[in-house]
Amino acid sequence: MSDATLHDHDARLSACPACDAAPLAQRIAAGGGGQEDIVLSLPTIHCATCITDVERVLNRHPGVRDARVNLTLRRVTVDAPGMSAEELIPVVEGIGYEAHELDPAALSASAADRQGRDILMRIGVAGFAMMNIMILSVAVWSGAEDATRDMFHWISGAIALPTVAFAGQPFFASAWRALRHGRLGMDVPISLALVLASAISVYETVQSGHHAYFDAAVMLCFFLLIGRYLDYRTRAVARSAAEELTALEVPRAFRVTAAGDEPVPVVELVPGDLIRIRPGARIPADGEIAEGNSEIDRSLLTGESIPVPARPGVALSAGEVNLTGPLVMRVTAAGRDSSLARLTALVAAAESARGHYTGLADRASRLYSPLVHLLAFCSFLGWYFATHDLRLAVNVAAAVLIITCPCALGLAVPAVVTAASGRLFRRGMLIKDGTALERLAEVDAVVFDKTGTLTMGVPQLVSLDPIPAEARPVALALSQGSGHPLSQALAQALREAGTEPAPLSDLREVPGYGIAGIWQGREVRLGRADWLGARHGEATLSASWLSLGDEGGQDAPIRLEFSDRLRPGAEACVARILGSGRRVMLLSGDAAPVVQDLAQRLGIAEWRAGVTPVEKAEALRDLRQQGLHPLMVGDGLNDTAALTEAHVSISPASALDAARTASDMVLMGSDLAPVAEGLELARSARARIKENFAISLVYNIVAVPIAIAGFATPLMAALAMSLSSISVTLNALRLR
């Protein structure tokens, strides 16, 4: 039997893998063991220090296996078997972070818009106050003295102090929560700088000094808020794949009742409910069509642009779109149990994973708080003892506190991962493991399976003529007991010819070889040529052999030929990978002439035929021992060991459950082109991460000495800090 997938007995084959993609997310989730994670919304987190604090306190809590914070979505996913959200919320709130059990509605755009409007409102107040204080400052700069100067200072203070208190509330509230729980977050030095700038201005005013800096304090707050808003907007532009999936969720459905259609929230649907889906509406839950015929658009979930026919008995997935006809669907899963919700959770977990570069950024961010406060304090002491000018020393210390904020470092990795995973998702590739993108960038060799990977894996029997009429029931009984594509194609052809299966006993499948059973006291087999003692010869078509044993004059196995076609994008994908200088191999369990013919068509110089599952895994192991980082692209049970052995692995949506579980990424459509694009994008993402680290490093090397030397005011420091954060995020957005 040629190399390909060994599906479950009830597996459904289709000429279009997109037709098999509806239950994809549910099968992937089921492969993960069915563990229900607890998801908490964290509306107040905003930096790398927040991520570290929340993950550390949760991971230390008894009963918690793992906790992953997603800064983009402002949530934490907790693996804590047997625990509830009510038990974990006090743990997070105990270190000063607001936490709520995640409500799907909390992920809607309206919640994010409220946050943006709040920041804009504070920017407007700060900007209005800043302009008025600047007008008053002009009089002072123009030469106003004594009582007139003091009056203008007091009026400026009356405007500035309430403005700083109100507009700076996001910084002050975050800093207070951190200090109250014994932490030093990124907003502590920013808040301290605002307080110092305001305090030195009040001091100058009380002492009838010549200079007060109320205008600088308000401007500092104004530009800090602008930096935070720009950061918020660039994050919103870099929408993650998880957010895009969440956008497919439907809040209401029309349940069919005796009294008519009843609009109900999707969360109230239960398995067995009948719901009506109008043309043009998005599918609100997982289910099976009970009535009606239509066409289904699965492009947002699979990348397939061609609509799929829908009829009674066809499975649908939440998030798909009903195009042409009304349908009545019987619900099988809804709300958090739907495949869309599980797929969203899977993507969010991948985006939150900690890779090598993320770990570097986290460690650097943890060193920030104690180091920057020590640096600012030393700068204050040095300038005060050198000049005995308290005002100057405070200004230098405030500038150091602000300019050293590592926001850019905290954004260096998450912004890139979010942008890259979103782009791959839109091209039809789902990242299951968050470290896979990092490993994909290191790939220098790509190994392809043949049947079901480079080809569609939906073969068709060339002719039934080689099978005698009396042998056809035996052939059907064997073929329908196997999930192999060739066996399924044979079974379909025999059933269409009106054949009934013969009774067999001791039916057993040997992965990578074929299937055998006992019929009328003798062993019958269907599978590979060498397993049945036959020779494939020089034919370039895939083939399987049927052996009915030695009795009845049936000495030689019967050859059954099958035709197959290339997967869309296979030629372009292989050509693009070869053009990038990577090594490409084809490993297949099929006969040598078939594999050679395909390899020549695709331009693959290295190929091996007749490879067993163990030999595939050994080939991947050999590549790793040679110092290479191989990518394995395969879809069968006989590929599972090789997928696990590879540095990183990809499986098509039509793959066997075991193969998808073993792989790091899943191709949700039939097109193979995203594999090559993913390789290039991964290297680009790695380059962007390194560029972001370089931007952060150069910024600190240049900016910190300038601040310590006294050449940067707190206002200039705020502008520089905001510019560094925005530049890092914009650099990541180049991946889109």
Side-chain angles (χ1 to χ4, degrees):
M1 185 178 276
S2 68
D3 125 281
T5 13
L6 290 163
H7 294 274
D8 296 330
H9 289 183
D10 60 350
R12 175 171 55 88
L13 285 175
S14 166
C16 173
C19 300
D20 291 321
L24 168 63
Q26 187 173 4
R27 293 195 300 245
I28 293 175
Q35 171 63 44
E36 287 289 340
D37 289 338
I38 298 171
V39 184
L40 302 179
S41 173
L42 305 174
T44 58
I45 66 168
H46 58 84
C47 64
T49 303
C50 303
I51 296 175
T52 303
D53 292 338
V54 173
E55 289 183 347
R56 182 170 59 241
V57 72
L58 285 173
N59 284 321
R60 289 178 179 174
H61 190 71
V64 175
R65 290 180 180 174
D66 184 43
R68 302 181 306 274
V69 172
N70 189 311
L71 184 60
T72 303
L73 299 180
R74 296 181 185 271
R75 61 167 123 167
V76 59
T77 304
V78 188
D79 181 5
M83 299 189 71
S84 64
E86 289 73 17
E87 297 174 82
L88 296 177
I89 288 175
V91 177
V92 179
E93 291 180 340
I95 58 170
Y97 292 100
E98 183 182 351
H100 308 281
E101 185 174 7
L102 183 64
D103 178 357
L107 297 177
S108 65
S110 60
D113 289 343
R114 282 196 299 272
Q115 180 191 9
R117 288 196 299 269
D118 179 75
I119 299 175
L120 281 175
M121 177 186 64
R122 297 180 192 278
I123 289 174
V125 170
F128 180 76
M130 179 182 68
M131 289 186 289
N132 283 277
I133 296 173
M134 288 295 294
I135 293 173
L136 296 171
S137 299
V138 169
V140 177
W141 297 339
S142 299
E145 296 182 356
D146 302 328
T148 303
R149 180 191 63 219
D150 292 345
M151 179 184 68
F152 284 141
H153 282 171
W154 281 113
I155 295 174
S156 297
I159 299 173
L161 295 178
T163 300
V164 171
F166 172 76
Q169 191 271 338
F171 308 108
F172 297 141
S174 176
W176 172 244
R177 285 194 300 268
L179 292 173
R180 193 174 53 171
H181 296 90
R183 297 181 295 102
L184 290 174
M186 291 185 184
D187 283 336
V188 172
I190 290 176
S191 300
L192 185 57
L194 287 171
V195 170
L196 287 176
S198 301
I200 196 67
S201 299
V202 172
Y203 174 79
E204 289 283 344
T205 301
V206 171
Q207 297 296 321
S208 296
H210 290 277
H211 302 285
Y213 300 93
F214 290 116
D215 53 349
V218 176
M219 290 176 68
L220 174 61
C221 187
F222 176 74
F223 284 110
L224 285 170
L225 284 169
I226 286 180
R228 180 146 295 187
Y229 181 74
L230 289 176
D231 173 55
Y232 158 77
R233 287 305 306 163
T234 48
R235 284 179 189 270
V237 172
R239 293 185 66 203
S240 70
E243 286 179 299
E244 295 189 26
L245 283 170
T246 301
L248 302 182
E249 293 178 355
V250 178
R252 290 186 307 162
F254 293 92
R255 184 162 53 194
V256 179
T257 66
D261 292 353
E262 173 192 10
V264 295
V266 168
V267 292
E268 294 183 7
L269 293 176
V270 296
D273 281 350
L274 291 176
I275 60 174
R276 193 178 306 280
I277 306 167
R278 297 182 174 90
R282 195 171 294 281
I283 311 297
D286 293 352
E288 185 177 281
I289 298 176
E291 298 177 18
N293 292 274
S294 183
E295 291 183 311
I296 302 298
D297 178 5
R298 289 175 170 160
S299 59
L300 289 177
L301 290 176
T302 68
E304 295 292 335
S305 58
I306 301 176
V308 178
R311 58 188 180 278
V314 171
L316 300 180
S317 178
E320 298 170 349
V321 179
N322 178 26
L323 294 178
T324 55
L327 297 173
V328 174
M329 186 183 80
R330 180 171 288 103
V331 175
T332 57
R336 293 184 180 180
D337 297 325
S338 72
S339 59
L340 180 62
R342 292 176 180 271
L343 195 60
T344 302
L346 190 67
V347 174
E351 290 181 349
S352 305
R354 296 285 180 264
H356 171 67
Y357 293 111
T358 309
L360 287 177
D362 287 349
R363 287 193 293 272
S365 296
R366 282 198 296 270
L367 294 174
Y368 155 72
S369 291
L371 184 61
V372 69
H373 286 89
L374 178 62
L375 196 61
F377 182 67
C378 291
S379 300
F380 170 78
L381 292 179
W383 276 95
Y384 181 73
F385 286 122
T387 63
H388 297 286
D389 187 336
L390 179 63
R391 175 187 58 79
L392 179 59
V394 169
N395 277 338
V396 171
V400 172
L401 285 170
I402 296 170
I403 211 165
T404 52
C405 180
C407 295
L409 187 61
L411 290 170
V413 180
V416 172
V417 172
T418 298
S421 62
R423 176 174 167 182
L424 283 178
F425 173 76
R426 286 187 292 273
R427 289 288 289 117
M429 184 181 290
L430 169 67
I431 300 177
K432 291 173 51 188
D433 187 334
T435 64
L437 190 66
E438 189 175 303
R439 287 182 279 128
L440 194 63
E442 300 169 349
V443 167
D444 42 25
V446 181
V447 179
F448 286 101
D449 170 46
K450 185 183 79 69
T451 308
T453 303
L454 287 174
T455 66
M456 289 299 297
V458 189
Q460 292 182 328
L461 183 68
V462 174
S463 174
L464 279 173
D465 293 342
I467 311 177
E470 64 274 11
R472 292 182 183 183
V474 179
L476 177 57
L478 285 170
S479 59
Q480 70 181 9
S482 171
H484 194 285
L486 297 186
S487 296
Q488 289 292 305
L490 175 59
Q492 181 179 349
L494 288 168
R495 281 194 294 265
E496 290 175 354
T499 306
E500 294 294 329
L504 299 183
S505 61
D506 193 23
L507 197 65
R508 63 194 184 280
E509 189 160 20
V510 183
Y513 290 95
I515 188 168
I518 303 298
W519 175 63
Q520 297 182 356
R522 61 178 185 246
E523 186 180 59
V524 291
R525 290 184 178 185
L526 175 69
R528 283 173 48 162
D530 53 358
W531 193 49
L532 276 70
R535 294 183 69 253
H536 181 85
E538 300 301 320
T540 59
L541 288 178
S542 296
S544 187
W545 275 259
L546 172 66
S547 171
L548 299 181
D550 296 327
E551 295 182 20
Q554 195 66 48
D555 297 324
I558 301 171
R559 177 193 181 95
L560 306 173
E561 293 189 337
F562 299 83
S563 60
D564 199 355
R565 60 188 177 90
L566 281 178
R567 182 178 288 272
E571 292 178 287
C573 174
V574 172
R576 195 168 173 181
I577 295 173
L578 288 171
S580 69
R582 294 178 176 88
R583 184 175 171 183
V584 177
M585 293 181 63
L586 171 59
L587 299 180
S588 174
D590 216 332
V594 180
V595 180
Q596 182 181 20
D597 178 66
L598 180 65
Q600 290 176 346
R601 288 167 61 189
L602 296 176
I604 301 175
E606 294 185 68
W607 57 271
R608 289 173 56 187
V611 183
T612 66
V614 174
E615 290 171 341
K616 282 190 178 183
E618 289 175 350
L620 270 296
R621 194 177 303 118
D622 289 342
L623 289 175
R624 299 192 69 169
Q625 289 174 353
Q626 295 172 27
L628 298 174
H629 302 88
L631 162 67
M632 175 66 192
V633 187
D635 75 321
L637 181 62
N638 51 0
D639 298 322
T640 303
L643 291 167
T644 305
E645 191 67 43
H647 187 62
V648 62
S649 53
I650 299 175
S651 291
S654 54
L656 184 69
D657 290 349
R660 284 196 309 274
T661 301
S663 62
D664 301 303
M665 302 180 180
V666 174
L667 273 174
M668 300 182 68
S670 62
D671 196 343
L672 204 61
V675 172
E677 183 174 342
L679 287 167
E680 295 181 4
L681 182 64
R683 286 195 174 177
S684 297
R686 182 176 62 179
R688 297 291 176 271
I689 289 173
K690 291 181 177 180
E691 289 169 4
N692 284 351
F693 278 135
I695 290 171
S696 301
L697 181 62
V698 170
Y699 163 75
N700 282 284
I701 290 175
V702 173
V704 173
I706 290 176
I708 294 175
F711 295 120
T713 65
L715 178 60
M716 294 170 59
L719 289 170
M721 185 266 289
S722 299
L723 181 62
S724 68
S725 299
I726 300 305
S727 62
V728 163
T729 309
L730 291 177
N731 187 49
L733 290 179
R734 291 167 57 196
L735 290 172
R736 291 173 60 88

